[in-house]
Amino acid sequence: MSHAALAAATLPFNGEVRGACPHDCPDTCAFVTTVRDGVAIKVQGNPAHRHTDGALCTKVSRYTERSYHPERLLHPLRRVGPKGSGRFERVGWDEALDEIAARLSAIAARDPEAILPYSYCGTMGLVQGESMAMRFFHKLGASLLDRTICASAGGEALVQTLGAKVGMKVEFFAEAKLILIWGSNSIASNLHFWRLAQQAKRDGARLVCIDPRRTETAEKCHEHLQLRPGTDAALALALMHELIVNDWLDHDYIARHTLGFEALRERALRWTPERAAEVCGLEAAQIRALAREWGTTRPAAIRLNYGVQRARGGGNAVRAIACLPALTGAWRHRAGGVLLSSSGHYPIDRAALQRPDLLRARRPRTINMSTIGDDLLRPASPEFGPRVEALIVYNSNPVAVAPESGKVVAGFAREDLFTVVLEQFQTDTADYADFILPATTQLEHWDIHTAYGHTDIVLNRPAIAPLGESRPNTAVFRELARRLGFTEPCFAEDDASLCVTAFGEGADYAELMAQGFTSLHLPDAPFAEGGFPTPSGRCEFFSERLARQGMDGLPDHLPNHEAIGSSERYPLAMISPPARNFLNSTFVNVKSLRDIEGEPLLEIHAGDAAARGIADGAVVRVFNDRGEYRCTARVSPRARPGVVHGLGIWWRKLGLDGTNVNELTSQKLTDMGRGPVFYDCLVEVRPA
Ligand SMILES: Nc1nc2c(c(=O)[nH]1)N[C@H]1C(S)=C(S)[C@@H](COP(=O)(O)OP(=O)(O)OC[C@H]3O[C@@H](n4cnc5c(=O)[nH]c(N)nc54)[C@H](O)[C@@H]3O)O[C@H]1N2
Ligand SMILES: Nc1nc2c(c(=O)[nH]1)N[C@H]1C(S)=C(S)[C@@H](COP(=O)(O)OP(=O)(O)OC[C@H]3O[C@@H](n4cnc5c(=O)[nH]c(N)nc54)[C@H](O)[C@@H]3O)O[C@H]1N2
Ligand SMILES: [Mo]
């Protein structure tokens, strides 16, 4: 189907429009928006899409409340007060774009690498994400951004072990007889997988949750291993130990489809359940029992999620866990194996979308988004290059979500930094902008979506006209390109056409237009006969590529940067997983959802609370050398002794003292993938 057919699709004044949930969640739901007299009146799950199964989460079923929110940004704004004061005046689009273009041109004339884009997954769409924006920054020669803030440690680990971000087809979890839910609060952050796990449970499967927090998911599993944060690799190695000594191995699968078993065997034999139990804070008997289950149940599957890889050894942990299915030949069955992310299955034509050829011979430096605090404060130097002079933020709220907020805020507060923020709302980040440009929401623009928790493509058609003067991200970069004199035809491509460019011949657009989604054609059991997309074609227990980089070729347990017991002043380990009714920092400003969450909370074990004279509901100071954050203590059976949970990610300005939990997190990085270590953070807590 040509893009003309997509573009010809007009906005209905009345009717139903098929779309896609844009949020950063494995489920990527297909939804249907009901429009009456040009107004979206409700958003519902598309009943025809089996992964959505007609049901949306609480957050997205309130999507119209977000789109029509009284605080939606509807006009371009220019700063009038000091940086961060949040005081702005209304300006016209032409005035805003002319001034932004002039500022960027002047900086680019000196050194385009002084300009930095900052974006993440406010929308997961391929069009409103990195398409026109990347073309613009490539042509400009701006610094590149290493987009590491969420998943790069685990992603890199999958690439090194399985060959790509690939795994089981999610639908077959329903047929498994044992499911390990590992580092995932599925009920909160992967709801549509949880429905499949429930189906498996009704059919007799055992569910085991591995999580330092007793989450709502952990409560509903048969078994919960409440380990210390950042100790998963030790647990996985001890499971291997037991598989080996009890010979619960698939020798044929190992011989034909894996690499490095002998070396892994030697490593794993050093990890007795007793040794791992000591590290993990578990009982050796629990580890033995889990190994027996994994070794003797067929089919057996692991729903691994990104919670395990937000600590120093996160990459190694994912590598160790990803080895478990090959050891037992679990991959032979379509309901066996592991799924962390399915995003590597999609044939996206990124070169066509992002046009890296526009860089020509230039090779701009790359800045890691997870250390944006330090990088904004860094002076020019031969190693670093020029000081960052301009920042263009879209699809992200770094002042709230990036680690070590004290530094991030200090960087954004630089009066000599020129900051443009494309946003739907006046977030903590938008407060620091020189210009805020109002962005459309998913109901108002075209996009096309892959998923990381299933294997369908979902198309998003606009259901209503843009509210106020808001514009899609693509429109802003097209206009800036024109003002900077970029004449390549790719800067004129419209959004419907970009949807087609994303996959070209690789997707069935007629089906996408007709039903809103289309499935990739993949085998049910992708690695039943091996065929891993690694260099060796095998599941790589030992990775030559890692060894060549001077790293350990085998997975191992790496203690946290800030391991429990390593500091006398800060004895408590803090993790900060998402609050169920927010999506990262998105939805925090939707009052009905904020009312459910109540206020920023710190969950703490009764023993730890009593030792500090902290009563349930008391306001506490949570602090370390990086900063201090005040919130309300919830003495809670969800916390194990020694571990506290600062549920995220509140807007700073909606918190008790204008900060949030990232005031405490560090800019240290993971072992692989240069990722952040949000869940590797020691603190102390006192009554306020
Ligand atoms: N409702 C809701 N859904 C979301 C999000 C949201 O903010 N809210 N965020 C979305 C995004 S961006 C992502 S990346 C995913 C995140 O979802 P997940 O990939 O599931 O990751 P997290 O929510 O970070 O953590 C999941 C669980 O891991 C646990 N955990 C923390 N540290 C460790 C550890 O060291 N070992 C183990 N085994 N477990 C640990 C946490 O307690 C938490 O219960 O969810 C997406 N879905
Ligand atoms: N302490 C702690 N910190 C964390 C985490 C944690 O677990 N603990 N999780 C981390 C993880 S996993 C992630 S992924 C990051 C998430 O960090 P971000 O990707 O920054 O996610 P959000 O906080 O949801 O902010 C996205 C912003 O994009 C805006 N947006 C949405 N759609 C559009 C659009 O079409 N155009 C424009 N211009 N803007 C749009 C939204 O309004 C929202 O303000 O946070 C990380 N930070
Ligand atoms: Mo994420």
Side-chain angles (χ1 to χ4, degrees):
M1 173 181 273
S2 76
H3 100 270
L6 263 64
T10 49
L11 289 178
F13 196 59
N14 283 296
E16 295 192 331
V17 183
R18 282 178 286 271
C21 175
H23 291 294
D24 187 352
C25 164
D27 297 11
T28 307
C29 290
F31 63 42
V32 179
T33 305
T34 304
V35 182
R36 289 275 175 278
D37 303 333
V39 175
I41 56 165
K42 64 180 173 193
V43 175
Q44 291 167 295
N46 182 345
H49 185 237
R50 67 177 161 168
H51 296 297
T52 305
D53 203 11
L56 297 174
C57 66
T58 314
K59 304 177 288 299
V60 175
S61 61
R62 311 236 167 121
Y63 208 76
T64 54
E65 210 180 310
R66 187 166 184 278
S67 285
Y68 292 109
H69 195 291
E71 288 159 15
R72 254 300 284 282
L73 293 166
L74 298 174
H75 313 283
L77 297 169
R78 177 166 53 206
R79 173 165 74 95
V80 289
K83 276 269 163 117
S85 65
R87 298 213 320 270
F88 294 88
E89 64 179 2
R90 182 172 167 183
V91 288
W93 269 105
D94 280 334
E95 196 181 344
L97 291 168
D98 286 347
E99 195 172 326
I100 294 165
R103 291 289 296 265
L104 296 182
S105 288
I107 297 170
R110 290 195 304 279
D111 188 346
E113 290 186 45
I115 300 170
L116 178 69
Y118 196 99
S119 65
Y120 202 63
C121 290
T123 168
M124 297 282 291
L126 296 173
V127 174
Q128 303 309 332
E130 311 308 332
S131 66
M132 198 55 74
M134 284 293 240
R135 293 177 182 184
F136 175 76
F137 291 113
H138 282 148
K139 174 74 188 174
L140 192 62
S143 288
L144 302 172
L145 185 74
D146 200 2
R147 291 183 172 76
T148 56
I149 203 154
C150 169
S152 63
E156 178 68 14
L158 280 191
V159 169
Q160 296 297 345
T161 315
L162 306 180
K165 291 168 97 170
V166 292
M168 279 177 67
K169 283 180 125 173
V170 72
E171 50 270 39
F172 299 126
F173 276 91
E175 298 170 7
K177 290 295 169 222
L178 171 67
I179 304 177
L180 312 190
I181 299 178
W182 201 324
S184 168
N185 181 4
S186 313
I187 294 177
S189 58
N190 190 188
L191 189 61
H192 294 78
F193 160 76
W194 180 248
R195 296 162 69 111
L196 299 169
Q198 289 297 98
Q199 197 181 321
K201 190 178 176 187
R202 280 194 300 274
D203 291 344
R206 261 179 80 78
L207 307 187
V208 179
C209 184
I210 302 172
D211 195 310
R213 179 172 182 242
R214 190 157 181 83
T215 61
E216 49 272 61
T217 306
E219 280 169 347
K220 294 195 168 63
C221 289
H222 297 100
E223 177 85 35
H224 175 205
L225 273 70
Q226 195 169 11
L227 79 186
R228 294 194 181 109
T231 62
D232 301 271
L235 173 60
L237 284 158
L239 295 178
M240 292 180 200
H241 179 281
E242 291 300 289
L243 299 178
I244 293 165
V245 301
N246 294 293
D247 198 22
W248 292 318
L249 298 169
D250 184 331
H251 294 282
D252 177 61
Y253 195 90
I254 291 171
R256 290 204 284 155
H257 306 308
T258 72
L259 191 74
F261 175 67
E262 280 310 316
L264 181 69
R265 178 173 184 279
E266 211 176 293
R267 170 80 42 96
L269 286 177
R270 289 190 239 140
W271 281 95
T272 60
E274 282 70 22
R275 179 179 173 201
E278 187 81 15
V279 169
C280 301
L282 296 172
E283 299 294 329
Q286 285 179 290
I287 300 177
R288 287 208 162 80
L290 180 60
R292 173 178 296 277
E293 285 186 279
W294 181 255
T296 60
T297 312
R298 295 287 174 276
I302 302 173
R303 182 59 171 114
L304 178 58
N305 231 320
Y306 286 108
V308 299
Q309 49 96 67
R310 307 195 202 286
R312 176 185 167 222
N316 268 277
V318 169
R319 262 181 55 63
I321 296 163
C323 292
L324 293 169
L327 287 168
T328 55
W331 289 114
R332 289 184 190 276
H333 195 290
R334 68 181 189 178
V338 58
L339 176 64
L340 169 58
S341 169
S342 55
S343 65
H345 286 293
Y346 290 87
I348 306 171
D349 192 346
R350 289 198 201 275
L353 275 178
Q354 306 182 349
R355 298 294 305 273
D357 56 297
L358 293 167
L359 281 169
R360 297 173 182 273
R362 286 174 308 216
R363 288 294 168 268
R365 67 170 168 194
T366 300
I367 288 185
N368 187 345
M369 71 186 306
S370 301
T371 54
I372 188 66
D374 281 345
D375 289 331
L376 288 179
L377 296 173
R378 236 184 267 284
S381 73
E383 309 78 61
F384 181 63
R387 190 163 170 83
V388 178
E389 290 181 58
L391 194 61
I392 319 293
V393 183
Y394 52 102
N395 304 339
S396 186
N397 184 11
V399 170
V401 307
E404 205 175 355
S405 316
K407 297 254 182 79
V408 181
V409 167
F412 271 83
R414 275 175 46 200
E415 285 290 338
D416 64 338
L417 179 72
F418 178 64
T419 303
V420 180
V421 177
L422 285 65
E423 250 301 351
Q424 297 157 344
F425 293 99
Q426 193 170 333
T427 58
D428 292 327
T429 304
D431 279 345
Y432 285 87
D434 291 279
F435 281 97
I436 306 178
L437 302 178
T440 43
T441 70
Q442 191 77 343
L443 301 187
E444 300 146 67
H445 55 226
W446 280 101
D447 220 324
I448 192 160
H449 291 254
T450 59
Y452 57 99
H454 62 70
T455 46
D456 292 348
I457 299 170
V458 191
L459 181 71
N460 186 70
R461 283 178 57 177
I464 55 170
L467 297 193
E469 295 181 4
S470 65
R471 293 185 183 176
N473 296 339
T474 45
V476 173
F477 290 106
R478 249 182 237 115
E479 279 295 312
L480 288 175
R482 196 170 62 78
R483 283 173 167 75
L484 283 155
F486 300 167
T487 52
E488 286 81 355
C490 71
F491 290 109
E493 188 175 1
D494 69 28
D495 286 6
S497 175
L498 284 165
C499 287
V500 178
T501 299
F503 294 100
E505 300 298 311
D508 185 340
Y509 284 89
E511 191 168 79
L512 279 165
M513 278 301 277
Q515 62 179 22
F517 58 89
T518 186
S519 299
L520 299 180
H521 301 290
L522 299 168
D524 285 352
F527 309 122
E529 306 286 337
F532 293 91
T534 51
S536 63
R538 292 162 177 249
C539 172
E540 299 198 346
F541 300 150
F542 182 86
S543 165
E544 268 304 335
R545 288 179 293 177
L546 285 177
R548 272 201 304 275
Q549 294 167 37
M551 296 169 70
D552 193 345
L554 290 173
D556 203 353
H557 167 63
L558 298 183
N560 278 1
H561 292 293
E562 302 186 7
I564 294 176
S566 65
S567 158
E568 276 181 25
R569 289 164 65 207
Y570 305 119
L572 298 170
M574 185 189 75
I575 58 172
S576 47
R580 179 172 176 180
N581 291 287
F582 302 150
L583 201 128
N584 300 321
S585 77
T586 303
F587 295 105
V588 180
N589 62 328
V590 174
K591 193 172 176 307
S592 65
L593 295 171
R594 193 166 70 244
D595 286 347
I596 306 176
E597 291 300 330
E599 55 193 335
L601 290 179
L602 186 84
E603 293 174 348
I604 184 167
H605 184 267
D608 290 326
R612 290 166 177 77
I614 293 167
D616 186 45
V619 174
V620 288
R621 293 193 302 127
V622 192
F623 58 98
N624 59 23
D625 289 338
R626 291 178 288 270
E628 176 175 314
Y629 163 56
R630 280 170 198 245
C631 62
T632 301
R634 164 81 43 93
V635 177
S636 168
R638 294 201 189 283
R640 57 167 288 155
V643 181
V644 293
H645 316 141
L647 300 184
I649 309 175
W650 281 75
W651 284 19
R652 288 165 62 84
K653 58 185 162 190
L654 296 175
L656 282 185
D657 60 352
T659 62
N660 74 14
V661 72
N662 280 319
E663 201 70 18
L664 304 167
T665 52
S666 82
Q667 295 181 75
K668 292 170 191 158
L669 298 177
T670 49
D671 54 349
M672 288 176 204
R674 305 159 307 281
V677 292
F678 291 113
Y679 303 168
D680 179 346
C681 174
L682 288 178
V683 299
E684 181 53 290
V685 187
R686 293 277 177 246

